[in-house]
């Protein structure tokens, strides 16, 4: 699916709702299909020619044995005149559903994952009738549900994910886009069958146009597509497998992180970092991360002072290298926080307008942030000196990259605002690749106010991602469980913030939630009681046992739907069975419940035994070992257990 400006727009009352099935598609002629079979996989290139003299190629790749295919589209302007694109989809699946001879009334559902700050990944399932995607009596009127994200936060509103389910046939078609700018998905219908497509946000949604001169070539983002006979969770498991990549040597054991953000709240100093390093020594924690504020003058707001990236001499009188060396002396790997793509009004960089993005001729300002232009060599040189140079000079082993606002519809400097945004974000990702080339040992955390960049292209560039900014909220296990459908748990870093003086129930609730992904500790670790420290050590030990299953396994969720995240009711349990089938991690939480009946969590078939657990009340197995029973002592309780065959 694509459209160029010279061709007619689609009919059927489509304007403003969809650009699918335009005159451009009508003018395409099939030319060839080439299938290449190699040991690594099978590639299919299908070529069409537009009667204006240019070509389009659809590339489909299946890595041998994979549970997904990869789809992309390349436009090649082989004509003698420029062409301007205003729609380009990475994939389009038609003919849904082939299992019905009619228009499949009442049996098709659209699944998508909504997402807002600190409440990421909420599943929304609606019938196509609910979305008014029934065909009209004549099949004339175009029906479309177009949705996506606009700007530089690709998981702001929705995840770049969609699935259509035929509930009668028990089949799900599902897809994820790998793009960290403006994107769209679209469920579409005119006749009996439904189509699902997606790619770059088009001119109507994303203010995007792209002009190709004669000889020019442009490729869409990649999309991962799967079809399963099974459930939505089966489809999600098949899709997230596309995100797998080799782990850095330092990451193979999925070590625990300590991030001091919820310890100092933007006031980290040499003194408190050294004290934390001493408190964490020998406790099974690998990384100690200095978060925001290390550069801010003592009386300044960390969120207004970033951009110059000079350490505060009052906080770090002997420089960052002295602090990093002290952390290493305690057996930990030091990490450092940057928000390298933006600057605040108290920085000198704020006034260097030649390095900043513009819209409508004015420097783009969003709240207390301006954005650096990563299309400019002078910008890249500046950031490389301040970020890569500082990390290298102080010998940091961990980098947390944050990003705390949205560019929006786009920026100046290209043929459209949306294309300006796309080019800038391509430069940002190139800079991430430069960090990897120049600092091949460094572990990179992808954070964007928590979960705003949880999409495949950013996940591919980093070792792990912050799951959310829900630092110490009751909704943490709900969000963390949601993300099992969307990203690999070993890349999902979960906050476990422990406060001195809090009830033991709260300590265990937080620690067990951290076992739903990568355990990241924070909080009052210089003031914890001996009992709290014991709970932490038990959690770290259990996490070490669970890490192989977190890295390689399959998840399932049990429990009622959680309606309110801020005021959750009911309970949930996540089971994750290892790929080998010999280990099982169970993590369960209660919220406000109407009764105190014990929870019965179904287990995969086989004889299981509890190897270790973390809970105020220990779980038990039924006599035949098919169910894990847990009777929590009240609301807002947590339990984690490691089971083995």
């Amino acid at each position: 699916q694509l459209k160029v400006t010279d061709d007619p727009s689609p009919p059927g009352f489509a304007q403003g709702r969809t650009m699918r099935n335009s005159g451009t598609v009508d003018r395409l002629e099939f030319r060839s299909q080439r299938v290449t079979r190699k040991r690594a996989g099978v590639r299919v290139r299908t070529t069409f020619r537009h009667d204006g003299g240019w070509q389009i190629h659809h590339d489909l790749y299946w890595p041998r044995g994979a549970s997904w295919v990869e789809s992309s589209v390349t436009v090649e302007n082989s004509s003698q005149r420029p062409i301007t694109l205003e729609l380009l989809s990475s994939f389009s699946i038609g003919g849904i559903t082939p299992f019905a001879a009619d228009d499949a009334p009442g049996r098709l559902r659209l699944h998508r994952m909504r997402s807002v700050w600190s409440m990421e990944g909420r599943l929304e399932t609606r019938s196509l009738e609910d979305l008014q995607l029934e065909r009209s009596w004549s099949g004339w009127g175009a029906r479309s549900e177009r949705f996506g994200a606009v700007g530089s936060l690709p998981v702001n509103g929705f995840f770049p994910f969609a699935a259509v389910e035929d509930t009668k046939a028990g089949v799900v078609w599902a897809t994820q886009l790998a793009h960290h700018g403006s994107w769209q998905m679209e469920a579409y219908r005119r006749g009996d069958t439904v189509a699902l497509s997606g790619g770059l946000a088009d001119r109507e949604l994303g203010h995007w146009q792209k002009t190709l001169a004669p000889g020019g070539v442009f490729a869409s983002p990649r999309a991962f597509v799967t079809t399963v006979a099974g459930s939505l969770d089966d489809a999600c498991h098949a899709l997230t497998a596309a995100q797998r990549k080799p782990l850095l040597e330092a990451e193979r054991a999925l070590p625990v992180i300590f991030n001091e953000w919820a310890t100092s709240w933007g006031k980290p100093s040499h003194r408190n970092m050294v004290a934390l390093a001493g408190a964490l020594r020998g406790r099974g924690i690998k990384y100690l991360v200095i978060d925001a504020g290390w550069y801010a003058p003592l009386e300044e707001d960390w969120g207004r002072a970033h951009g110059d990236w000079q350490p505060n001499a009052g906080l770090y009188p002997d420089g960052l290298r002295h602090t990093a060396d002290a952390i290493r002396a305690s057996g930990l790997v030091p990490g450092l926080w940057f928000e390298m793509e933006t600057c605040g009004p108290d920085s000198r960089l704020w006034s260097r307008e030649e390095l900043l993005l513009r819209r409508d001729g004015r420097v783009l300002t969003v709240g207390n942030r301006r954005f650096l232009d990563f299309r400019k060599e002078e910008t890249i040189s500046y950031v490389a000196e301040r970020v890569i140079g500082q990390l290298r000079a102080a010998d940091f082993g961990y980098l947390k990259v944050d990003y705390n606002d949205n560019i929006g519809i786009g920026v100046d400097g290209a043929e459209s605002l949306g294309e300006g945004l796309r080019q800038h974000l391509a430069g940002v990702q190139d800079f991430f690749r430069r960090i990897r080339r120049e600092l091949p040992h460094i572990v990179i955390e992808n954070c964007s106010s928590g979960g705003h960049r949880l999409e495949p292209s950013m996940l591919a560039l980093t070792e792990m991602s912050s799951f959310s900014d829900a630092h110490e909220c009751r909704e943490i296990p709900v969000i963390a469980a949601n993300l099992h459908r969307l990203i690999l748990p070993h890349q999902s870093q979960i906050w476990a913030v422990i406060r001195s003086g809090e009830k033991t129930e709260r300590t265990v609730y937080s620690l067990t939630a951290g076992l739903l992904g990568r355990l990241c500790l924070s909080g009052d670790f210089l003031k914890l009681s001996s009992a709290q420290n014991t709970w932490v050590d038990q959690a770290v030990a259990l996490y070490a046992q669970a890490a192989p299953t977190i890295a390689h396994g399959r998840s399932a969720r049990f429990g009622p739907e959680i309606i309110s995240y801020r005021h959750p009711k009911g309970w949930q349990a996540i089971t994750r069975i290892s790929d080998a089938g010999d280990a099982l991690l169970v993590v369960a939480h209660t919220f406000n419940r109407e009764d105190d009946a014990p929870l019965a969590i179904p287990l995969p078939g086989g004889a299981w035994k509890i190897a270790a657990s973390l809970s105020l009340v220990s779980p038990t197995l039924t006599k035949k070992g098919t169910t894990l029973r847990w009777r929590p002592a009240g609301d807002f309780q947590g339990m984690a257990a490691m089971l083995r065959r």
Side-chain angles (χ1 to χ4, degrees), residues 57-305:
H57 311 282
H58 174 244
D59 289 299
L60 196 68
Y61 177 62
W62 175 63
R64 194 170 298 279
S67 54
W68 75 93
V69 291
E70 181 181 306
S71 178
S72 64
V73 173
T74 301
V75 179
E76 179 184 350
N77 187 5
S78 48
S79 74
Q80 301 303 308
R81 54 191 295 271
I83 60 172
T84 299
L85 295 163
E86 51 186 2
L87 166 69
L88 182 63
S89 293
S90 300
F91 74 95
S92 181
I93 309 170
I96 302 173
T97 175
F99 303 105
D102 56 8
D103 56 342
R107 61 190 278 180
L108 295 178
R109 302 193 297 181
L110 176 68
H111 302 283
R112 47 190 176 179
M113 307 293 186
R114 288 188 173 271
S115 199
V116 293
W117 181 74
S118 290
M119 291 185 183
E120 290 83 354
R122 185 185 186 110
L123 171 64
E124 177 190 80
T125 299
R126 299 182 69 181
S127 71
L128 265 61
E129 288 81 3
D130 262 350
L131 296 168
Q132 289 202 298
L133 289 171
E134 287 188 278
R135 62 162 291 162
S136 66
W137 61 271
S138 67
W140 171 251
R143 315 300 206 209
S144 174
E145 180 73 7
R146 180 176 57 186
F147 63 97
V150 175
S152 51
L153 299 180
V155 183
N156 185 22
F158 292 95
F159 272 77
F161 166 94
V164 175
E165 179 181 8
D166 180 341
T167 57
K168 185 175 180 180
V171 172
V172 181
W173 296 263
T175 182
Q176 270 190 319
L177 283 168
H179 184 59
H180 85 307
S182 299
W183 61 269
Q184 69 184 42
M185 293 282 192
E186 190 170 354
Y188 174 95
R189 183 180 228 163
R190 284 191 74 185
D192 281 358
T193 61
V194 174
L196 181 67
S197 60
L200 293 169
D202 61 28
R203 183 181 186 180
E204 292 181 342
L205 184 65
H207 299 255
W208 181 77
Q209 291 178 285
K210 172 71 176 178
T211 299
L212 292 181
V217 176
F218 182 76
S220 75
R222 294 181 302 160
F224 302 107
V225 184
T226 194
T227 310
V228 300
S231 67
L232 174 66
D233 283 349
D234 294 327
C236 289
H237 180 73
L239 274 183
T240 54
Q243 299 169 16
R244 291 209 173 273
K245 61 179 181 177
L247 296 176
L248 290 179
E249 180 69 32
E251 279 287 280
R252 289 183 182 171
L254 307 188
V256 179
I257 308 101
F258 188 98
N259 183 303
E260 65 73 42
W261 168 246
T263 304
S264 77
W265 295 115
K267 296 291 183 183
S269 67
H270 172 79
R271 177 178 297 180
N272 63 29
M273 295 309 301
V274 171
L276 280 169
L280 300 174
R281 181 197 292 266
R283 298 182 65 182
I285 297 160
K286 182 168 185 174
Y287 306 115
L288 176 53
V289 182
I290 304 170
D291 210 277
W294 56 268
Y295 48 83
L298 286 174
E299 302 305 318
E300 298 288 350
D301 176 0
W302 68 268
R304 293 176 55 87

Side-chain angles (χ1 to χ4, degrees), residues 154-155 160 177-180 429 446 453-460:
V155 183
L177 283 168
H179 184 59
H180 85 307
Q429 291 201 326
N446 164 37
R453 278 182 164 174
L454 298 178
E455 57 79 30
S457 73
M458 286 300 297
L459 296 169

Side-chain angles (χ1 to χ4, degrees), residues 32-53:
S32 66
Q33 188 173 78
R34 185 171 73 250
V35 181
T36 306
R37 292 181 173 86
K38 294 185 177 180
R39 181 174 297 177
V42 179
R43 190 176 302 276
V44 181
R45 166 162 276 206
T46 307
T47 298
F48 299 85
R49 183 174 178 83
H50 188 274
D51 59 20

